[in-house]
Amino acid sequence: MRCSSKSGPRRLWPLLAILGAGGALAEPPTLSDLHLSVVPRTESEAGRVAGVVAPTDDFSAPEQFEANPGGGATVRARSDADAYSLPSGNISFEGELDFKVGNGLFRKLWVSSPSSTQASDGLGPLYNSRGCQNCHLKDGRGHPPDAPGEPGGSMFLRLSVPAPGDAARTRIEEYLLKAGMDFIPSRPDPVYGGQLQDLSVAGIPAEGRMVIDYAETEVALSGGESASLRAPVYRIDNPGYGPLRDDLMTSPRVAPQMIGLGLLEAVPAADILAGADPDDADGDGISGRPQIAWSMRYGAPMLGRFGWKAGNPTIEEQSASAFAGDVGISNPLKPAPAGECTDAQIACINAPHGADDARGDEIDAEGMDFVTFYSQNLAVPARRDMDDPQVLRGKEVFYGTGCTACHRPKFVTARLEDQPEQSFQLIWPYSDMLLHDMGEGLADNRPEGVADGREWRTAPLWGIGLTEQVNGHTLFLHDGRARSLLEAVLWHGGEARPARDAVVSMPPEDRAALIRFIESL
């Protein structure tokens, strides 16, 4: 049986030294936890935590506290579409009021400028959605367009081009060079920017339309069973600002579910880094790497946690980037009122905007604080059927097949002085928060930070079994290509190829139990 526990990785010593740990692997990289008001763990407490998060080898019954994957912040699993939309179970009355204000801003539909509703104007001029909830449907998972020719809606394409050899280095690139970390420099497309925006306000051309074509491939499974995988091919039709570059790199992204983000943000960086093994020093075939992102808030490198390639270090910065890129709304961390418009998009830059009134930015600091608080406190639903014999067998298969090498079951969050909802909670996200090579089949061939074109952050699995109930579909992976959990498993390659092959060849009843376990999360 493989587990995700690793010894101190050799290639991370420059990272730890620069981040303030003085090269001592036992000490946390304090700079990476700038977003947390952490009360340091005592030696005794650290020992207790290590024992609690150790993987189990007893599958005869559920583990203690397994019913509450979000710790004290867990909420009862609802049977309707609001299962992802509840506040932390341990939130205060005052906190719930702030949560509701944040929810209102998250659901707000923005309008173009000028408008009589100045509190809601500033949309675009180029955008992918009019509001956060339009992509994160019911705080859940987005999906590809329902039919050819429809706008992307809750899915878009990231864009970039290789950085010229004489390009000035960014701050994060300078840092990565000093830290001795590998990366492939790239830049947003000089005309189309960092993502394709398929919608626009009146009078401004949209950037183009994402088109997806699928090819089906049959996969033979043990016991005479089979599955069909659909491989997507992406193209951009009707480019609105001239021909696309031959070296344009694209990456499809479906909006992920929002639950448990504050708890993931509260995991000490040292606990995540302790699971990294970039050189596969233990020889188990798993080589998780940390993403390093530049913090707009702190002006410093931090551990990347959020996004499909962990490109943002905090929920606030993930939210700020989404407001600017997806909706075209300026905010204190991304103050450009024209959103992601480039210098080549003159009409877009010169269009009216909503940043010239009393708010300053189109969403101000107070509004961003409410949205961040809301996103931090979307609760994880309680487990279902975890004592069912088939679920317990599926859990044993999950562990025995090696899935926990990347989908790490448990963490304990930091003790936090100002976030009681997330403070010192035993959580079960089933993610190590690291980047892994997922093989050529899932590769987007577009680097991001230290992630190459085959690497993705391990997606948390908590709540995944409620996707159909909340969102009305069972489309998974970063681009929604998988139409079931089994298809998602069968797309795993690279480091996960041995586990995937084991699923193909195992007895059908074990394969069914494995899927049943994942559905119970």
Side-chain angles (χ1 to χ4, degrees), residues 389-401:
Q390 188 184 33
V391 170
L392 289 170
R393 174 56 186 159
K395 180 180 178 182
E396 184 174 13
V397 172
F398 187 90
Y399 279 58
T401 305

Side-chain angles (χ1 to χ4, degrees), residues 228-286:
S228 181
L229 303 184
R230 59 174 188 172
V233 177
Y234 298 90
R235 70 177 190 271
I236 298 172
D237 279 359
N238 305 322
Y241 295 88
L244 302 170
R245 288 176 48 146
D246 292 338
D247 58 354
L248 179 67
M249 297 177 286
T250 65
S251 181
R253 305 291 174 89
V254 165
Q257 65 186 32
M258 297 283 291
I259 58 173
L261 298 185
L263 295 167
L264 296 177
E265 187 177 48
V267 175
D271 291 0
I272 297 171
L273 293 173
D277 187 10
D279 293 326
D280 192 18
D282 62 5
D284 69 351
I286 306 299

Side-chain angles (χ1 to χ4, degrees), residues 281-299:
D282 62 5
D284 69 351
I286 306 299
S287 305
R289 299 200 300 158
Q291 177 67 286
I292 308 301
W294 188 266
S295 168
M296 298 175 285
R297 166 63 65 197
Y298 300 105

